[in-house]
Amino acid sequence: EILARIIREGDPQPPIHYWLLWGWARLTGDAEFAMRAWSALLSLALVPLMYQVGRKLWREEVGLLAAGLTAIHPQQIWLAQDVRNMYQLALTALLIATLILPKLIQRKDAKAQRNAKKVFYWLGYVACGAFAMYSHYYALFPLIAHGAYVFSPSPDGAREARQGTRQRLGGGAKPLPLI
């Protein structure tokens, strides 16, 4: 029903936001407050995700600053009140994928543990990337940035880990439908 309407009316956005919003409306009702609550909850989830990305990729002060700016940014507050808002959904998935990416290229665990964890991390990363792409087409650009990070020359000892990731990425990316 939703997909047919998107095709018929020519809505340029991918369908996953509408499918989730349809499920949310079945769960909570279609009152204005209930429909806007979906975007508000996603917007609230962005604040701790921004903190985690800032803390894990840089340091705690950066995480606090990023979370604080996200919480008070006028555009973020406006988007948190919009019913037809797929940006929070795509950004949530991209931030989770960004948190997973460093785990894909690290080499600290024993080989058996690392392989089991890597499969879990790969599945999570691919799921988040696909989810983001099915939320908003522009999610492709941060995923390209992730690829540039993986394929960039590394001055430290992570070159071997990145090489293994490159090989897996090259073989595993072929069946992905949108990339």
Side-chain angles (χ1 to χ4, degrees), residues 7 39 63 72 99 115:
I7 292 170
S39 291
I72 64 169
L99 287 170
N115 288 339

Side-chain angles (χ1 to χ4, degrees), residues 153-167:
S154 175
D156 59 359
R159 183 176 306 239
E160 294 171 13
R162 286 187 182 179
Q163 183 63 31
T165 303
R166 289 178 195 150
Q167 291 169 354

Side-chain angles (χ1 to χ4, degrees), residues 124-148:
Y125 182 80
V126 169
C128 286
F131 197 79
M133 284 292 299
Y134 281 107
S135 299
H136 199 282
Y137 292 126
Y138 287 167
L140 175 66
F141 296 117
L143 294 174
I144 289 172
H146 288 175

